[in-house]
Amino acid sequence: MTDEERVPLAHRVPDLGALELLLAVARHGSLGRAAREMGVTQPAASSRVRSMERQLGVALVERSPRGSRLTEAGSLVTDWARRIVEAAEAFDAGAQALRGRRDSRLRVAASMTIAEYLLPGWLIALRADRPGTAVSLLAGNSAAVADRLLSGEADLGFVEGLAVPEGLDGTVIGHDRLVVVAAPGHPWARRRRSPLTAEELAAAPLVLRERGSGTRQVLDSALSAYGGLAEPLLELASTTAVKAAAVSGAGPAVLSELAVTEELASRRLAGIPVAGIRLDRDLRAVWPHGQRPTGPARDLLGLTRG
């Protein structure tokens, strides 16, 4: 291998902009008109041609008061340049097609509370901005959301747990609070003198979400210092199911404040104050580590922050 061949190709071949300028000179027979077409000044165009000539080691353009014309070497280089530019245009068209295919769909995975109470509004706003994007929503607990992102089944996820799941990156998009609720006829709802204690909550059989849900993670963590949760009265896989069980009088439950606003306002459920623990949590958008959202996923992320 010669010393010249050891120099990277990018240093031996003119860049695409220089080749496009040379083709413009060939079309117009004028460096000035070529410069205007390329959106640069004539001195800048002259400098670029000289730089290309030094790089290749041959004269490409002869300048005269009547205009500019290609040398014999310039004509030959122009033929090669045309093929390179045509290949670049084909490359660009292919890249646009890939972006179009990527942007034509969005796969979202979200934990139940976000899927039921926040995502519908965000997706309506996204459709107004991107009417051609087909969106599919996979709802599950926070652990299932992480699994779908890591397996490539989803482009963007939303979780409600204590931290970003392992293998993912994320950002906080909002905040939520868990509340203890019960049917109006439950003894806790008729309690007036003092709030429920953390020990009482930990010891009581509750209607709960399943393990792996963000709600369960926050509750387990908050009550770990008080002996942990008692055996659940019922363990259900959706926020709607837990809420329905609580409204029916099956037992007290712990749910997102977002999920029970209507039931508390209509007094189908009563909020039970609890002393000594915090049940706040962050809502997060998450994605595979190192793969920042692009296209419609990036746009949806922007809408959640709005």
Side-chain angles (χ1 to χ4, degrees), residues 93-276:
Q96 288 188 45
L98 286 175
R99 286 194 297 271
R101 188 165 62 185
R102 179 204 65 192
D103 292 353
S104 67
R105 68 168 189 174
L106 173 62
R107 300 167 302 165
V108 180
S111 51
M112 299 302 298
T113 300
I114 294 177
E116 292 180 38
Y117 299 99
L118 293 176
L119 258 174
W122 297 337
L123 293 179
I124 288 170
L126 180 69
R127 182 160 184 79
D129 291 340
R130 285 181 170 270
T133 298
V135 180
S136 61
L137 173 60
L138 302 167
N141 63 35
S142 294
V145 170
D147 288 343
R148 284 179 169 137
L149 286 167
L150 292 171
S151 67
E153 295 177 60
D155 306 305
L156 184 66
F158 296 93
V159 296
E160 308 148 358
L162 294 169
V164 177
E166 186 176 354
L168 303 179
D169 292 334
T171 185
V172 174
I173 58 166
H175 306 280
D176 185 25
R177 185 169 70 95
L178 300 182
V179 292
V180 181
V181 294
H186 191 276
W188 285 359
R190 298 193 297 269
R191 186 168 173 160
R192 295 288 182 268
R193 294 185 180 178
S194 60
L196 200 68
T197 66
E199 290 86 353
E200 288 177 298
L201 182 62
L206 302 172
V207 180
L208 295 173
R209 285 289 308 279
E210 78 288 4
R211 293 187 183 278
S213 69
T215 300
R216 186 67 172 269
Q217 289 173 20
V218 172
L219 192 57
D220 281 336
S221 176
L223 295 178
S224 61
Y226 302 95
L229 282 165
E231 187 68 23
L233 179 67
L234 291 171
E235 198 172 59
L236 302 172
S238 78
T239 299
T240 300
V242 173
K243 183 167 61 173
V247 169
S248 73
V254 181
L255 287 165
S256 163
E257 195 170 37
L258 293 169
V260 293
T261 301
E262 183 181 334
E263 286 73 18
L264 291 174
S266 64
R267 298 186 178 179
R268 287 185 290 154
L269 286 174
I272 314 300
V274 183

